[in-house]
Every structure is written in structure tokens, then in C-alpha cells.
Amino acid sequence: MANDADPVSADTRFFGHPRGLATLFFTEMWERFSYYGMRAILILFMTDQIAKGGLGFNDAKAGSVYGLYTAMVYLMCLGGGWVADRITGQRRAVLAGGLFIVAGEFCLVAPGLAFFYGGLVLLIFGTGLLKGNVSTIVGQLYRKGDPRRDSGFSIFYMGINLGALIAPILCSYVGEKINWRLGFGVAGIGMLVGLVQYVLSGKYLGDAGLRPAGTGDVDLDRSQRQNAIRGVGIGLGVCALLAVLAATGAISLSVTAISDGLGWGLLAIAAAVFGWMIFSHGWTLEERKRSAAILVLFIASALFWASFEQAGSSLNLFAERSTDRMVLGWEFPAGWFQFVQPIFVVVLAPVFAWLWLALNRRKTEPSSPAKFAIGLVWAGLAFAILVPASKMAVGGAQVAIWWLTGTYFLQTLGELCLSPVGLSAMTKLAPERAGGFVMGIWFLSTSIGNWLAGKAGSLYSSMPLPTLFGSVAAFSFATAVVLALLIKPTVKLMSGVK
Ligand code: PHE
């Protein structure tokens, strides 16, 4: 039971976990509701005709915006984590992030391209401030060595997928059947509910995430904080300047150009980060070896998400244009496919948790890189089955819903081999004083994956679908083979971490 001296870690009021976990569970559930609800209709809204309330973008442009937006959202988690560490603490960052998200979704409800792009920018900042930091607070609910930590994260992962599951049902229905913009409104209302809940039940979090991380040296903390505030100011200033220059026509920035530039930017950031982690003598030899292992997992993870996150881009278009969605004389919204995958997660996550444990007992549990390789095989199969499906759809025919359902099922098997495993591998491989930063690197791999998924979406109408889907499958299989060859050396580099 909770006691006054140690209100958080002795607390067992939420399924044996601290009551604060419920606060964070529902905050993240509503945040993901808002994110996935919005994402379910984003590309469909952009590619729909203006007369029907869409934006009238072609597939290439819509794919670029989709890739740019989803990649920036996760890239900003790096910035959001840093702001929380240095300036605000996680709790205030999450609150601010939630407010930005509500404002962003409501901007999307308003007509006009300025509101559309402005809304996306607010959503990028908001999610960046919220998503990573809410997970960090989860970690702070438990003392070091508390055996409940891993299962706490599994419960939290359920919250993520519960939000992702409900959202497309509501937002796609409202968006596709009534009005696109109202669909974004529903996403905004969800985040608002989550935010009210977060504020009202914030008291259960004790002092987790209340203050920025300190070094113990007051003067150093103060100067780091001032530098960070200056850094944020400069960053925002540059963004504002670019926006003004673009709005007044002084520079011409096409979305496609920005999106292409970001791809190179992401690679440059990754190269710089790993160059530093692997070659700088500021780290011990063991830390540098582990960073090399993180790099292997990082590349595999980016390529995994590149196929997985096409759920919102190319697969969403395939659902809309080439899948027969008639049930009992009614055509269900294309975005409804977006809840298939989270349902599989909710059902299969406990099965996987049991499976790893059972294999562990027999001493046959695969290592993390081996699980990643298996995950990539599932990801490849998910796209391989779409090759015959898309061949059947050539010429405008519509295929049965089972194809995409099968794809999402296989993708989930892959996700469960890779995503939770990756999260925990990052926490174990990270040098002690760089835990938050390494978590940010994990989000960076997701960011690159999302960017690639957008690129694949922009090829949707310029490349024959069997070729597009077949290439994605071939890429995944090839990565799996290379990774399988690297399992042994990578495990060695991990020096003792399973
Ligand atoms: N379904 C996961 C989520 O929404 C996907 C994801 C994995 C996103 C890793 C970011 C990082 O949280």
C-alpha cells in the first residue's frame, strides 16, 4: 500500500502498479487516439478532390507531406526530451505538448492551407513534447531494480494500442462519411479529454518528472538551463523566419523539397550521433562497443518501420482504392483498417510475453538481434502477400479485405518481435549517463522509417503496385539476411547484455 514516505514506488493501486501509471496510461491512450485518428484520414484528406472537401494534392505531394509530418513528429521527441531534461521537467513538457496538440487538431478543422500547415507544425511540437516524456515518467514511477518496471511498460504499451484502436473507428467514420475536417476535430477532442484527465489525476504522480534533471552542481545546472533556453529561442526564431520568408514569397519552399532535405538531414544527424558514440574517447571501450551494437539495431529498426508505417500511407491508399469494403450493402471507411493492427497487438502482446518467458526457461530465447531479424522476416511476408493481391487489383478491380488483414496480422508479429524488444535493449545498452539520449536515438530510427514510408506512399501512382510492394518485401528479406549474418558479432559487441 502507499505510504507517506514513499508515495510512488510502494503504491500498488493500479493492477499492482502505482496509481500514477493509470494517469499516464490514459494520457498516452488519448494522445495516441489523437495521433492515429488524425493519421488515419490525413493522406485520404490530402488526396481527395477539393470539390469533395479534400486538398486535391496528387499522390506524390501527399506522400511527401505524410513522410515529412510523421518523421518530424518522432524527430521532435529528441528535442522534447532535451527541453524536459534541461528546462521544464517532463510533467510540464507533457502538459504543454497536450495543449499544442489540441490547438493543432483544431487548426486542421479550419479551412485554408495556412491553417493546415500551421496545424501540422503545432502537432509536431506537441507530440515531440509529449510522447517521449510521458514514457520517461513511467520509468520514474519505479525505483531502480523494481521488478514491476517491465510489466509496467507492457501495460503502458496496451494504452498506446487501445488509443490507436478506438481512434480510427471514430475519426475515419466522421472524416470519411461526414466531413474530413470534423474528423480532425474528433481527434482534438480526444486529446482534450486526455489532458483534463492528466491535470485532474496529476497528484498521483508524486514528484515524478516534476523537475529538470540536475547534475548536483547548482551553478552548472543554471548555466545549462540558460543555454537550453537560448537554444530553444534560436531554434524557434529560425523556424519563424523561414515561415515568414516562405509566406511572403521571398524564398520558395516546396513541401517536396523540404521533405527531401529532411531525409538527408535525418541521415546526417544519425551519422553524427553514431560517429560520436562509437569513436569519441569520452566513452569507455565497452560503451563504444555497445554503441556499435545499437547502430546495427538502429538500421534494422529504421528499415522495419519503413515498411510498417506504410499503414498510414500506401496501405491506406490500397484500402481506399483497391479493397472491397462492402459489408451487408454498406461500404465501411478505408481508415477502419487502421484498427486491425492495434487489435492484434492487444491480443498477441501477452502471448509474446509468455513465449519469450517460456523460451527463456528452456534457455532457447533468441537474442535481441535475432528477434529483430525474425521481425524483419514477418515484415517482408506482410508485403509479399500483397504482390498477388495488387496484381489482381490491376485495372481497378477490388480485392477482399482478407489481404490487408493478413498483412496487418503479419506486421504485428513483426512489431512484437522488434518494438518492445528494441525499447528494452536501448535501456540496457545505453551508457548510464545517456539513457534519455539513447531513447531519443530509438525515436530517430522510427523517424527515418516514417520518412521512408512516406516516400513509398509518394510512389503509389507512379510505380506498378506489385513492383512497389514486392520491392518493400525484398528489402525487408535482404535486411533480415544481412542481420542474421551479423547476429553473432552483434551479440559479442553487446558484451553481456541479452
Ligand atoms: N505503435 C507505436 C506507438 O505508437 C509505434 C512507435 C514505436 C512509435 C516506436 C514510436 C516509436 O508508440
Side-chain angles (χ1 to χ4, degrees), residues 75 111 131 136 190 193 262 340 379-380 445 487 498:
L75 180 61
K131 167 91 169 139
T136 307
V193 173
L262 176 72
V340 174
S445 77
I487 290 175
K498 283 280 160 54

Side-chain angles (χ1 to χ4, degrees), residues 29 52 63 102 242 268 285 327 343 368 394 400 405 412 437 494:
M29 185 189 93
K52 291 190 184 155
V102 173
L242 284 176
L285 183 63
V327 173
I343 286 193
S368 315
V394 171
T405 308
T412 306
F437 184 67
M494 291 166 64

